[in-house]
Amino acid sequence: MVKIIVKISIIICLIYFANAQQILRSQDVKGQNFLFSFGSCFSERRLTALNRTSIFEKISEQKPDVFAWLGDFGYPKLFEDFIPAFEFTKNEKGYKMLQSNNITQIIGVWDDHDYGRNDGDKNYKHKHETRQIYLDYIGEPKNSIRRTQPGGIYTSYYLGSTKKVKLVLLDVRFSRDSFWFEHSDILGPDQWKWLENEFNDPHSHTIILASGCQILPDDRVIPEKWYPDSRNRLFNLIQKHKDHQRVILISGDIHLAEILVEPNSVNKFGYNIIEITSSGLTHHIMDYKFPQFIVDGFLPNTFNDRQHRLMDFNYALVDIKIDPENKENTQLEISIKDQNNATRLQVKIEPWKQEQKQLNLTNSKYTRDDHRYKRWIIWMFKNYFIEYRKAGIALTSIAFVILILAYFICKILYDCYQNKIKNQQKQKTN
Ligand SMILES: [Fe+2]
């Protein structure tokens, strides 16, 4: 009986602690300077069709200590396409440079396309097979607990030997509920339990929390976002641990880059809750040839405004400076770089700095406390009738003309139908 209890305890410890303690080496001997890079969305089709080389060449030139995939390693349409799509990414010229520069360690977590299904959730039937394939292609050891642990491929790493800054990679696919239920969850019970333990870590004081899809925005017309209950649960966790863990959010998925901030977060959490999104290693939102005013219409300005977004190829570079003696001196400078390695967006984060002022990246007066539909409708009105007035008036006029035409066509058809019935009745009476 005692043996069984010991065995069960060891298994539980392995599940909840063993995979959280990997240290990623840095080029700095003391481990106090760490260069961390991340990005997402690599499409073979886009790269081949447009005869491009991926931005990985530029990432490799930076020689980061680590590159983390935040999803979409490839875009296989069917399960049978999985290995060919991943082989293409693995052998792409730029990515090969990054893999062979003898400095950069490559890690990652999946999002929907490299999980196996667009907007996929826990019901995807091939998830156990794709889990092994995905982990093979990002170089996860065969004996890694990520291959078998319950709830998904979530994991965490210390960035450098000081163990003060930790990268937590969340799996937002494997246990994700379907989106149409009212209280849908995104992480599942096993991952939540594990995440709570990550926050209880006595070594780290700063957590970079990574999710394939965006965490903060709740008012955009896309299904791919954190469900309200899960976001609230995460916010409660962040708030509970605010005195010993400070959190910076990072994400991918949306084919643009941006810096966002939670309004009033200094009041609620004691510091600014910032999210940095980088998506678009081979393609970006403007490749779809939508007019700018249509794209902007889908992106309300609750968390940032247009100048804090980049609709171009991009990756993120995080220059981390850790003072192990004084956490207030820990700094993260996060840059969004383009295909020329030019810095297009930047934010400096000092998570432990005392007397934080609320960072404001928008002139919107609305916050999460205002209903998201209200925010979206106000934004649509402002976007179409103030920011892009000519386009808005033109669109409204076209819609008005279409409605009037539709009305007259329906009226004519209805009149024809009525006449036909009247004629039939006349014929019957005659
Ligand atoms: Fe993507």
Coordinates of all heavy atoms in Angstrom, one line a residue, residues 83-164:
I83 N 2.7 15.8 -42.5 CA 4.2 15.6 -42.6 C 4.8 16.4 -43.8 O 5.8 17.1 -43.6 CB 4.6 14.1 -42.6 CG1 4.3 13.6 -41.2 CG2 6.0 13.9 -43.0 CD1 4.5 12.1 -41.0
P84 N 4.2 16.4 -45.0 CA 4.8 17.2 -46.1 C 4.8 18.7 -45.7 O 5.8 19.4 -46.0 CB 3.8 17.0 -47.3 CG 3.2 15.7 -47.0 CD 3.1 15.5 -45.5
A85 N 3.8 19.2 -45.1 CA 3.8 20.7 -44.7 C 4.9 21.0 -43.7 O 5.6 22.0 -43.8 CB 2.4 21.1 -44.1
F86 N 5.1 20.1 -42.7 CA 6.1 20.3 -41.7 C 7.5 20.1 -42.3 O 8.4 20.8 -41.9 CB 5.9 19.4 -40.5 CG 4.8 19.8 -39.6 CD1 3.8 20.7 -40.0 CD2 4.7 19.4 -38.2 CE1 2.8 21.2 -39.1 CE2 3.8 19.9 -37.4 CZ 2.8 20.7 -37.8
E87 N 7.6 19.2 -43.2 CA 8.9 19.0 -43.9 C 9.3 20.2 -44.6 O 10.5 20.6 -44.6 CB 8.8 17.8 -44.9 CG 9.1 16.4 -44.3 CD 10.6 16.3 -43.7 OE1 11.5 16.6 -44.4 OE2 10.7 15.8 -42.6
F88 N 8.3 20.9 -45.3 CA 8.6 22.1 -46.0 C 9.2 23.2 -45.1 O 10.2 23.8 -45.4 CB 7.4 22.6 -46.8 CG 7.7 23.8 -47.6 CD1 8.0 23.7 -48.9 CD2 7.7 25.1 -47.0 CE1 8.3 24.8 -49.7 CE2 8.0 26.2 -47.8 CZ 8.3 26.1 -49.1
T89 N 8.5 23.4 -44.0 CA 9.0 24.4 -43.0 C 10.4 24.0 -42.5 O 11.3 24.9 -42.5 CB 8.0 24.5 -41.8 OG1 6.7 24.6 -42.3 CG2 8.4 25.6 -40.9
K90 N 10.6 22.8 -42.2 CA 11.9 22.4 -41.6 C 13.0 22.6 -42.6 O 14.1 22.9 -42.2 CB 11.8 20.9 -41.2 CG 12.9 20.4 -40.4 CD 12.8 18.9 -40.2 CE 14.1 18.3 -39.7 NZ 14.1 16.9 -39.8
N91 N 12.7 22.5 -43.9 CA 13.8 22.6 -44.9 C 13.8 23.9 -45.6 O 14.6 24.1 -46.5 CB 13.6 21.5 -45.9 CG 13.9 20.1 -45.3 OD1 14.9 19.9 -44.6 ND2 12.9 19.2 -45.4
E92 N 13.0 24.9 -45.1 CA 13.0 26.2 -45.8 C 14.4 26.9 -45.5 O 14.9 26.8 -44.4 CB 11.9 27.0 -45.2 CG 11.6 28.2 -46.0 CD 12.3 29.4 -45.5 OE1 12.6 29.5 -44.3 OE2 12.6 30.3 -46.4
K93 N 14.9 27.6 -46.5 CA 16.2 28.1 -46.4 C 16.5 29.0 -45.2 O 17.5 28.8 -44.4 CB 16.4 29.0 -47.7 CG 17.9 29.4 -48.0 CD 17.9 30.2 -49.3 CE 19.1 31.2 -49.2 NZ 18.8 32.4 -49.9
G94 N 15.6 29.9 -44.9 CA 15.8 30.8 -43.8 C 15.7 30.1 -42.4 O 16.5 30.3 -41.5
Y95 N 14.7 29.2 -42.3 CA 14.6 28.4 -41.1 C 15.8 27.5 -40.8 O 16.2 27.3 -39.7 CB 13.3 27.6 -41.1 CG 12.9 27.0 -39.8 CD1 12.9 27.7 -38.6 CD2 12.5 25.6 -39.7 CE1 12.6 27.1 -37.4 CE2 12.1 25.0 -38.5 CZ 12.2 25.8 -37.4 OH 11.8 25.2 -36.2
K96 N 16.3 27.0 -41.9 CA 17.5 26.1 -41.8 C 18.7 26.9 -41.2 O 19.5 26.4 -40.4 CB 17.9 25.6 -43.1 CG 17.3 24.2 -43.4 CD 18.0 23.4 -44.5 CE 17.9 22.0 -44.2 NZ 18.4 21.1 -45.2
M97 N 18.8 28.2 -41.6 CA 19.9 29.0 -41.0 C 19.7 29.2 -39.5 O 20.7 29.1 -38.8 CB 19.8 30.4 -41.7 CG 20.3 30.4 -43.1 SD 20.1 32.0 -43.9 CE 21.3 33.0 -43.1
L98 N 18.4 29.4 -39.1 CA 18.2 29.5 -37.7 C 18.5 28.2 -36.9 O 19.1 28.3 -35.8 CB 16.7 29.9 -37.4 CG 16.4 30.3 -36.0 CD1 16.9 31.6 -35.6 CD2 14.8 30.3 -35.8
Q99 N 18.1 27.1 -37.5 CA 18.4 25.8 -36.9 C 19.9 25.5 -36.8 O 20.3 24.7 -35.9 CB 17.7 24.7 -37.7 CG 16.2 24.7 -37.6 CD 15.6 23.7 -38.6 OE1 15.3 22.6 -38.3 NE2 15.3 24.1 -39.9
S100 N 20.7 26.0 -37.6 CA 22.1 25.6 -37.7 C 23.0 26.7 -37.3 O 24.2 26.6 -37.5 CB 22.4 25.1 -39.1 OG 22.1 26.2 -40.0
N101 N 22.5 27.8 -36.6 CA 23.5 28.8 -36.2 C 24.3 28.5 -34.9 O 25.0 29.3 -34.4 CB 22.8 30.2 -36.1 CG 21.8 30.3 -34.9 OD1 21.8 29.4 -34.1 ND2 21.1 31.4 -34.9
N102 N 24.0 27.3 -34.3 CA 24.7 26.9 -33.2 C 24.5 27.7 -31.9 O 25.2 27.6 -30.9 CB 26.3 26.8 -33.4 CG 26.6 25.7 -34.4 OD1 25.9 24.6 -34.4 ND2 27.6 25.9 -35.2
I103 N 23.6 28.6 -31.9 CA 23.3 29.4 -30.8 C 21.8 29.3 -30.4 O 21.5 29.0 -29.2 CB 23.6 30.9 -31.0 CG1 25.1 31.1 -31.2 CG2 23.0 31.8 -29.9 CD1 25.5 32.4 -31.7
T104 N 20.9 29.4 -31.3 CA 19.5 29.5 -31.0 C 18.9 28.2 -30.7 O 19.0 27.2 -31.5 CB 18.7 30.2 -32.2 OG1 19.4 31.4 -32.5 CG2 17.3 30.5 -31.8
Q105 N 18.2 28.1 -29.6 CA 17.4 26.9 -29.2 C 16.0 27.1 -29.7 O 15.5 28.2 -29.4 CB 17.4 26.7 -27.7 CG 18.9 26.5 -27.1 CD 18.9 27.1 -25.7 OE1 18.7 26.3 -24.8 NE2 19.2 28.4 -25.5
I106 N 15.4 26.1 -30.3 CA 14.1 26.3 -30.9 C 13.1 25.5 -30.0 O 13.3 24.3 -29.8 CB 14.0 25.9 -32.4 CG1 14.9 26.9 -33.2 CG2 12.6 25.9 -32.9 CD1 15.0 26.5 -34.6
I107 N 12.1 26.2 -29.6 CA 11.0 25.6 -28.8 C 9.6 26.0 -29.4 O 9.6 26.8 -30.3 CB 11.1 25.9 -27.3 CG1 11.0 27.5 -27.1 CG2 12.3 25.4 -26.7 CD1 10.9 27.9 -25.7
G108 N 8.6 25.6 -28.8 CA 7.3 26.1 -29.3 C 6.1 25.4 -28.8 O 6.2 24.4 -28.1
V109 N 4.9 26.0 -29.1 CA 3.7 25.4 -28.8 C 2.7 25.6 -30.0 O 2.9 26.6 -30.7 CB 3.1 25.9 -27.5 CG1 2.6 27.4 -27.6 CG2 2.0 25.0 -26.9
W110 N 1.8 24.8 -30.2 CA 1.0 24.9 -31.4 C -0.2 25.8 -31.2 O -0.6 26.2 -30.1 CB 0.5 23.5 -31.8 CG -0.3 22.7 -30.8 CD1 -1.0 23.1 -29.7 CD2 -0.5 21.3 -30.8 NE1 -1.6 22.1 -29.0 CE2 -1.3 20.9 -29.7 CE3 -0.1 20.3 -31.7 CZ2 -1.7 19.6 -29.4 CZ3 -0.5 19.0 -31.4 CH2 -1.2 18.7 -30.3
D111 N -0.8 26.2 -32.4 CA -2.1 26.8 -32.4 C -3.0 26.0 -33.3 O -2.8 24.8 -33.4 CB -2.0 28.3 -32.9 CG -3.3 29.1 -32.6 OD1 -3.9 28.8 -31.6 OD2 -3.6 30.0 -33.3
D112 N -4.0 26.5 -34.0 CA -4.9 25.7 -34.6 C -4.4 24.9 -35.8 O -4.6 23.7 -36.0 CB -6.2 26.4 -35.0 CG -6.0 27.7 -35.8 OD1 -4.8 28.1 -35.9 OD2 -6.9 28.2 -36.3
H113 N -3.7 25.6 -36.7 CA -3.3 24.9 -38.0 C -2.3 23.8 -37.8 O -2.4 22.7 -38.4 CB -2.8 25.9 -39.0 CG -3.9 26.8 -39.5 ND1 -4.8 26.5 -40.5 CD2 -4.3 28.1 -39.1 CE1 -5.7 27.5 -40.7 NE2 -5.4 28.4 -39.8
D114 N -1.3 24.0 -36.9 CA -0.4 22.9 -36.6 C -0.9 21.9 -35.6 O -0.3 20.9 -35.4 CB 1.0 23.5 -36.2 CG 1.0 24.6 -35.3 OD1 -0.1 25.1 -34.9 OD2 2.1 25.1 -34.9
Y115 N -2.0 22.2 -35.0 CA -2.8 21.2 -34.2 C -3.5 20.3 -35.1 O -3.6 19.1 -34.8 CB -3.7 22.0 -33.3 CG -4.7 21.2 -32.5 CD1 -4.3 20.3 -31.5 CD2 -6.1 21.3 -32.7 CE1 -5.2 19.5 -30.8 CE2 -7.0 20.6 -31.9 CZ -6.5 19.7 -31.0 OH -7.4 19.0 -30.2
G116 N -4.0 20.8 -36.2 CA -4.6 19.9 -37.2 C -5.9 20.5 -37.8 O -6.3 19.9 -38.9
R117 N -6.5 21.5 -37.2 CA -7.8 21.9 -37.8 C -7.9 23.4 -37.5 O -7.7 23.9 -36.4 CB -8.9 21.2 -37.1 CG -10.3 21.7 -37.5 CD -11.4 20.9 -36.8 NE -11.6 19.7 -37.5 CZ -12.6 18.8 -37.1 NH1 -13.3 19.0 -36.1 NH2 -12.7 17.7 -37.8
N118 N -8.4 24.2 -38.5 CA -8.6 25.6 -38.4 C -9.6 25.8 -37.3 O -10.7 25.2 -37.2 CB -9.2 26.2 -39.7 CG -9.3 27.7 -39.7 OD1 -8.6 28.3 -38.9 ND2 -10.2 28.2 -40.5
D119 N -9.3 26.7 -36.3 CA -10.1 27.0 -35.1 C -10.4 25.7 -34.3 O -11.5 25.6 -33.7 CB -11.4 27.7 -35.5 CG -11.2 29.0 -36.2 OD1 -10.0 29.4 -36.3 OD2 -12.2 29.6 -36.7
G120 N -9.5 24.7 -34.4 CA -9.8 23.4 -33.8 C -9.9 23.4 -32.2 O -9.3 24.3 -31.6
D121 N -10.6 22.4 -31.7 CA -10.8 22.3 -30.2 C -10.5 20.9 -29.8 O -10.0 20.1 -30.6 CB -12.2 22.8 -29.8 CG -13.3 22.1 -30.5 OD1 -13.2 20.8 -30.7 OD2 -14.3 22.7 -30.8
K122 N -10.9 20.5 -28.6 CA -10.6 19.2 -28.0 C -11.2 18.1 -28.8 O -10.8 16.9 -28.6 CB -11.0 19.2 -26.5 CG -12.5 19.2 -26.3 CD -12.8 19.2 -24.8 CE -14.3 19.3 -24.5 NZ -14.6 19.4 -23.1
N123 N -12.2 18.3 -29.6 CA -12.9 17.3 -30.3 C -12.2 16.8 -31.6 O -12.7 15.9 -32.3 CB -14.3 17.7 -30.7 CG -15.1 18.0 -29.4 OD1 -15.1 17.2 -28.5 ND2 -15.7 19.2 -29.3
Y124 N -11.0 17.4 -31.9 CA -10.3 17.0 -33.1 C -9.8 15.6 -33.0 O -9.1 15.3 -32.1 CB -9.1 18.0 -33.4 CG -8.3 17.6 -34.6 CD1 -8.8 17.3 -35.8 CD2 -6.9 17.5 -34.4 CE1 -8.1 17.0 -36.9 CE2 -6.1 17.1 -35.5 CZ -6.7 16.8 -36.7 OH -5.9 16.5 -37.8
K125 N -10.2 14.7 -33.9 CA -10.0 13.3 -33.7 C -8.6 12.8 -33.9 O -8.2 11.8 -33.4 CB -11.0 12.5 -34.7 CG -10.7 12.6 -36.1 CD -11.6 11.7 -36.9 CE -11.4 11.9 -38.4 NZ -12.3 11.2 -39.3
H126 N -7.7 13.6 -34.6 CA -6.3 13.1 -34.8 C -5.4 13.7 -33.8 O -4.2 13.7 -34.0 CB -5.9 13.4 -36.2 CG -6.6 12.6 -37.3 ND1 -6.5 11.2 -37.3 CD2 -7.4 13.0 -38.3 CE1 -7.2 10.8 -38.4 NE2 -7.8 11.8 -39.0
K127 N -5.9 14.4 -32.7 CA -5.0 15.2 -31.9 C -3.8 14.4 -31.2 O -2.8 14.9 -31.0 CB -5.8 15.9 -30.8 CG -6.4 15.1 -29.8 CD -7.2 16.1 -28.8 CE -7.8 15.3 -27.7 NZ -8.5 16.2 -26.7
H128 N -4.0 13.1 -31.0 CA -3.0 12.3 -30.3 C -1.9 12.0 -31.3 O -0.7 12.0 -30.9 CB -3.5 11.0 -29.7 CG -4.5 11.3 -28.7 ND1 -4.2 11.7 -27.4 CD2 -5.9 11.2 -28.7 CE1 -5.3 11.9 -26.7 NE2 -6.3 11.6 -27.4
E129 N -2.2 11.8 -32.6 CA -1.2 11.6 -33.6 C -0.4 12.9 -33.9 O 0.8 13.0 -34.0 CB -1.8 11.1 -34.9 CG -2.4 9.7 -34.8 CD -3.9 9.7 -34.7 OE1 -4.4 10.3 -33.8 OE2 -4.5 9.1 -35.6
T130 N -1.2 14.0 -34.1 CA -0.5 15.3 -34.5 C 0.3 15.8 -33.3 O 1.3 16.5 -33.6 CB -1.6 16.4 -34.9 OG1 -2.5 16.6 -33.8 CG2 -2.3 16.0 -36.1
R131 N 0.0 15.4 -32.1 CA 0.8 15.8 -30.9 C 2.2 15.3 -31.1 O 3.2 16.0 -30.9 CB 0.2 15.2 -29.7 CG 0.9 15.4 -28.4 CD 0.3 14.7 -27.3 NE 0.6 15.3 -26.0 CZ 0.0 15.1 -24.9 NH1 -1.1 14.3 -24.9 NH2 0.4 15.6 -23.8
Q132 N 2.3 14.0 -31.5 CA 3.7 13.4 -31.6 C 4.4 14.0 -32.8 O 5.6 14.3 -32.7 CB 3.6 11.9 -31.7 CG 2.9 11.2 -30.6 CD 3.5 11.5 -29.2 OE1 4.7 11.7 -29.1 NE2 2.6 11.6 -28.2
I133 N 3.7 14.2 -33.9 CA 4.4 14.8 -35.1 C 4.9 16.2 -34.8 O 6.0 16.6 -35.1 CB 3.4 14.8 -36.3 CG1 2.9 13.4 -36.6 CG2 4.0 15.4 -37.5 CD1 1.8 13.3 -37.6
Y134 N 4.0 17.0 -34.2 CA 4.4 18.4 -33.9 C 5.6 18.4 -33.0 O 6.6 19.1 -33.3 CB 3.2 19.1 -33.2 CG 3.6 20.5 -32.8 CD1 3.6 21.6 -33.7 CD2 4.1 20.8 -31.5 CE1 4.0 22.8 -33.4 CE2 4.5 22.1 -31.1 CZ 4.5 23.1 -32.1 OH 4.9 24.3 -31.7
L135 N 5.6 17.6 -32.0 CA 6.7 17.6 -31.0 C 8.0 17.1 -31.7 O 9.1 17.6 -31.4 CB 6.4 16.8 -29.7 CG 5.3 17.5 -28.9 CD1 4.8 16.6 -27.8 CD2 5.8 18.8 -28.3
D136 N 7.9 16.2 -32.6 CA 9.1 15.7 -33.3 C 9.7 16.9 -34.1 O 10.9 17.0 -34.1 CB 8.7 14.6 -34.4 CG 8.4 13.3 -33.7 OD1 8.7 13.1 -32.6 OD2 7.7 12.4 -34.4
Y137 N 8.8 17.6 -34.8 CA 9.3 18.7 -35.6 C 9.9 19.9 -34.9 O 10.6 20.7 -35.5 CB 8.3 19.1 -36.7 CG 8.3 18.2 -37.9 CD1 7.6 17.0 -37.9 CD2 9.1 18.4 -38.9 CE1 7.6 16.1 -39.0 CE2 9.2 17.6 -40.0 CZ 8.4 16.4 -40.0 OH 8.5 15.6 -41.1
I138 N 9.5 20.1 -33.7 CA 10.2 21.2 -32.9 C 11.3 20.7 -32.0 O 11.8 21.4 -31.2 CB 9.2 22.1 -32.1 CG1 8.4 21.3 -31.2 CG2 8.3 23.0 -33.0 CD1 8.0 22.2 -30.0
G139 N 11.6 19.4 -32.2 CA 12.8 18.8 -31.6 C 12.6 18.5 -30.1 O 13.6 18.4 -29.3
E140 N 11.4 18.1 -29.7 CA 11.1 17.7 -28.3 C 11.7 16.3 -28.1 O 11.4 15.4 -29.0 CB 9.6 17.8 -28.0 CG 9.2 17.7 -26.6 CD 9.6 18.9 -25.8 OE1 9.8 20.0 -26.3 OE2 9.7 18.8 -24.5
P141 N 12.4 16.0 -27.1 CA 13.0 14.7 -26.9 C 11.8 13.6 -26.8 O 10.7 13.9 -26.4 CB 13.7 14.8 -25.5 CG 14.0 16.2 -25.3 CD 12.9 17.0 -26.0
K142 N 12.2 12.4 -27.2 CA 11.2 11.3 -27.3 C 10.7 11.0 -25.9 O 9.6 10.5 -25.8 CB 11.9 10.1 -27.9 CG 12.1 10.2 -29.4 CD 10.8 10.0 -30.2 CE 11.0 10.2 -31.7 NZ 9.7 10.5 -32.4
N143 N 11.5 11.2 -24.8 CA 11.0 10.9 -23.5 C 10.3 12.0 -22.8 O 10.1 12.0 -21.6 CB 12.1 10.3 -22.7 CG 13.3 11.3 -22.5 OD1 13.2 12.4 -23.1 ND2 14.3 11.0 -21.7
S144 N 10.1 13.1 -23.5 CA 9.5 14.3 -22.9 C 8.1 14.0 -22.3 O 7.3 13.4 -23.0 CB 9.5 15.4 -23.9 OG 8.6 16.5 -23.4
I145 N 7.8 14.6 -21.2 CA 6.5 14.5 -20.6 C 5.4 15.1 -21.4 O 4.2 14.8 -21.3 CB 6.5 15.0 -19.1 CG1 5.3 14.4 -18.4 CG2 6.6 16.5 -19.1 CD1 5.4 14.5 -16.9
R146 N 5.8 16.1 -22.3 CA 4.9 16.8 -23.1 C 4.2 15.8 -24.1 O 3.1 16.1 -24.6 CB 5.6 17.9 -23.9 CG 6.1 19.0 -23.1 CD 6.8 20.0 -24.0 NE 5.8 20.9 -24.6 CZ 6.1 21.8 -25.6 NH1 7.3 21.8 -26.1 NH2 5.2 22.6 -26.1
R147 N 4.8 14.7 -24.3 CA 4.2 13.7 -25.2 C 3.0 12.9 -24.6 O 2.2 12.4 -25.3 CB 5.3 12.8 -25.8 CG 6.3 13.5 -26.7 CD 7.4 12.6 -27.1 NE 8.3 13.2 -28.0 CZ 8.2 13.4 -29.3 NH1 7.2 12.8 -29.9 NH2 9.1 14.0 -30.0
T148 N 3.0 12.9 -23.3 CA 2.0 12.0 -22.6 C 1.2 12.7 -21.5 O 0.2 12.1 -21.1 CB 2.8 10.8 -22.0 OG1 3.9 11.3 -21.2 CG2 3.3 9.8 -23.0
Q149 N 1.6 13.8 -21.0 CA 0.9 14.4 -19.9 C -0.5 14.7 -20.2 O -0.9 15.0 -21.4 CB 1.6 15.7 -19.4 CG 1.4 16.9 -20.4 CD 2.3 18.1 -20.1 OE1 3.1 18.1 -19.2 NE2 2.2 19.1 -20.9
P150 N -1.4 14.6 -19.2 CA -2.8 14.9 -19.5 C -3.1 16.4 -19.8 O -2.4 17.3 -19.3 CB -3.5 14.5 -18.2 CG -2.5 14.5 -17.1 CD -1.2 14.3 -17.8
G151 N -4.0 16.6 -20.8 CA -4.4 18.0 -21.0 C -3.7 18.8 -22.1 O -4.2 19.8 -22.5
G152 N -2.6 18.2 -22.6 CA -2.0 19.0 -23.7 C -0.5 19.1 -23.6 O 0.2 18.5 -22.8
I153 N 0.1 19.9 -24.5 CA 1.6 20.0 -24.6 C 2.2 21.3 -23.9 O 3.2 21.7 -24.3 CB 2.0 20.0 -26.1 CG1 1.5 21.2 -26.9 CG2 1.6 18.7 -26.7 CD1 2.2 21.3 -28.3
Y154 N 1.4 21.8 -23.0 CA 1.9 23.0 -22.2 C 3.2 22.7 -21.5 O 3.5 21.5 -21.2 CB 0.8 23.4 -21.2 CG 0.3 22.2 -20.3 CD1 1.0 21.8 -19.2 CD2 -0.8 21.5 -20.7 CE1 0.5 20.8 -18.4 CE2 -1.3 20.5 -20.0 CZ -0.6 20.1 -18.8 OH -1.1 19.0 -18.1
T155 N 4.0 23.7 -21.3 CA 5.3 23.5 -20.7 C 5.9 24.9 -20.2 O 5.3 25.9 -20.5 CB 6.3 22.8 -21.6 OG1 7.5 22.4 -20.8 CG2 6.8 23.7 -22.7
S156 N 7.0 24.9 -19.5 CA 7.6 26.1 -19.1 C 9.1 26.0 -19.1 O 9.7 24.9 -18.9 CB 7.1 26.6 -17.8 OG 7.6 25.8 -16.7
Y157 N 9.8 27.1 -19.2 CA 11.3 27.1 -19.2 C 11.7 28.4 -18.4 O 11.1 29.5 -18.5 CB 11.8 27.3 -20.6 CG 11.3 26.3 -21.6 CD1 10.2 26.5 -22.3 CD2 12.0 25.1 -21.8 CE1 9.7 25.6 -23.3 CE2 11.5 24.2 -22.8 CZ 10.4 24.5 -23.5 OH 9.9 23.6 -24.4
Y158 N 12.9 28.3 -17.7 CA 13.5 29.5 -17.2 C 14.4 30.0 -18.3 O 15.1 29.3 -19.0 CB 14.4 29.1 -16.0 CG 13.7 28.6 -14.8 CD1 13.9 27.3 -14.3 CD2 12.8 29.5 -14.1 CE1 13.2 26.9 -13.1 CE2 12.1 29.0 -13.0 CZ 12.3 27.7 -12.5 OH 11.6 27.3 -11.4
L159 N 14.3 31.3 -18.4 CA 15.2 32.0 -19.4 C 16.5 32.4 -18.8 O 16.6 33.5 -18.2 CB 14.5 33.2 -20.1 CG 13.1 32.9 -20.7 CD1 12.5 34.1 -21.4 CD2 13.2 31.7 -21.7
G160 N 17.5 31.5 -18.9 CA 18.8 31.8 -18.2 C 18.9 31.2 -16.8 O 17.9 30.9 -16.2
S161 N 20.1 31.1 -16.4 CA 20.4 30.3 -15.1 C 19.9 31.1 -13.9 O 19.9 30.5 -12.8 CB 21.9 30.0 -15.1 OG 22.6 31.2 -15.2
T162 N 19.6 32.4 -14.0 CA 19.1 33.0 -12.7 C 17.8 32.5 -12.3 O 17.4 32.7 -11.1 CB 19.0 34.6 -13.0 OG1 17.9 34.8 -13.9 CG2 20.3 35.2 -13.5
K163 N 17.0 31.9 -13.2 CA 15.7 31.3 -12.9 C 14.7 32.4 -12.5 O 13.6 32.1 -11.9 CB 15.7 30.3 -11.8 CG 16.5 29.0 -12.2 CD 16.3 28.0 -11.0 CE 16.9 26.7 -11.4 NZ 16.6 25.7 -10.3
K164 N 15.0 33.6 -12.8 CA 14.1 34.7 -12.3 C 13.0 35.0 -13.4 O 11.9 35.5 -13.0 CB 14.9 36.0 -12.1 CG 15.9 35.9 -11.0 CD 15.3 35.7 -9.7 CE 16.3 35.5 -8.6 NZ 15.7 35.0 -7.3

